[in-house]
Amino acid sequence: MAFAIIVIVVVVAVLGLAFVAPLRRRRRERPGVEPGPGTTAPPRARPTEAPRPAVLTPEEQAAEADAVLEEAEAILEEAEAVEEPVAPPPFKPRFRDRLGKARSLFAGYIGSVLSRSTIDDETWDELEEALVRADVGVAVTTALLGDLRERVKGEGITTPQELVQALKDDLKKSLAPADRGLRYEPGAPNVWLFVGVNGVGKTTTIGKVANQQRSEGRSVILAAADTFRAAAAEQLDLWAHRVDAPLVRGAEGGDPGAVVFDAVERAQARNIEVVLADTAGRLHTKTNLMEELSKIRRVAERPPGRVTEVLLVIDATTGQNGLVQARQFAEAVDVTGVVLTKLDGTAKGGIVLAIQNELNIPIKLVGLGETVEDLVEFDPEEFVEALFE
């Protein structure tokens, strides 16, 4: 933008000089005022050559115009040759910076443990309370601490510092064995279904995922299959315009499966790689909702479509309620991964451990803020370290 402004200013200046110069010559060559009585006009020097005509001929005007254009073109070429400064990569939030609430809860208990000189019953009680209050869940907490007790005996751990380090290692290992990448298979249009109850941030998550895929060079199309809530289609339409992606939507109260199928066919016709499909989060009863989601998946699997991801979106602030939701949806649509939103706004970060350990469903993406860049791939090691720092 700055180069364009500079070029315009220079061109205007050059054109101004081209047309002002003849005017100045005409003023210099204009006869002076006759001297009044009693005055003597200064002698005029005899010109050594004939003065140029006051008005340029058409040929001269054309020549001067060509010269101005050539100079302007040279300036433009020079400006285009200068490289624009490279924009910095988008900011990626760190878990340590965004998990303040979860860390503050956990740090109090860990600090108390580290202040002790030995490992006693109160030490174990504090670790148990820390995990339960962080919403790891009673079953997972019991299993984790049981394994930790065996490790303390087997490895001869005697200090609270060694105990806390062993707990960190165990938490990382419990989260590690999982494929957290979003699955894409070249060929037929891939369908990624997003499921979850209303209010968890499902539609916004789809928009953010669409933006990420577009920035990585992959084409996407959005399918507004939540036909039971008009606001969902409108919100998805805003995201479609924002990320410059096509949107397929149906009539309010219409068949959501038909919307997904139309999106798949359009993706096939336009060589679009991924269909991101929103789904309803609430119908008249839970049974109706789960049956509807199962139907949508069956429709999405019809050629030329291929379902490669079913992502369950959960609000981290709901804690153990999110675990209940995960169980219900996993039974209906074979969930392949979890997107945990609003993780930065809760002290119940332990739900991460509960979901993966009890249901064996990997957490693939987590929301650490409101912006597009704040939806990031889940990193178990960074997550655990952030809780203990």
Side-chain angles (χ1 to χ4, degrees), residues 6-39:
I6 293 172
V7 169
I8 292 172
V9 171
V10 172
V11 171
V12 171
V14 173
L15 290 173
L17 289 175
F19 290 101
V20 168
L23 178 60
R24 288 180 175 174
R25 286 197 295 271
R26 289 198 297 272
R27 288 179 176 174
R28 288 198 301 268
E29 295 162 2
R30 187 173 58 189
V33 179
E34 290 296 329
T39 62

Side-chain angles (χ1 to χ4, degrees), residues 164-180:
V164 170
Q165 185 59 51
L167 176 60
K168 287 170 63 174
D169 294 341
D170 286 353
L171 293 179
K172 292 176 183 178
K173 290 177 183 178
S174 70
L175 292 171
D179 180 9
R180 304 189 187 280

Side-chain angles (χ1 to χ4, degrees), residues 191-208:
V191 181
W192 294 354
L193 295 176
F194 291 77
V195 301
V197 300
N198 288 344
V200 296
K202 190 164 66 266
T203 306
T204 299
T205 296
I206 293 173
K208 292 180 178 181

Side-chain angles (χ1 to χ4, degrees), residues 119 124 147-158 163:
I119 301 174
W124 293 106
D147 293 341
L148 187 58
R149 285 177 183 272
E150 292 297 324
R151 183 175 175 185
V152 167
K153 293 179 182 179
E155 299 180 10
I157 294 174
T158 58
L163 177 64

Side-chain angles (χ1 to χ4, degrees), residues 326-349:
R327 289 194 187 98
Q328 295 173 347
F329 281 94
E331 292 172 359
V333 285
D334 190 19
V335 174
T336 59
V338 169
V339 180
L340 201 58
T341 63
K342 308 175 188 177
L343 188 59
D344 59 312
T346 181
K348 301 176 181 180

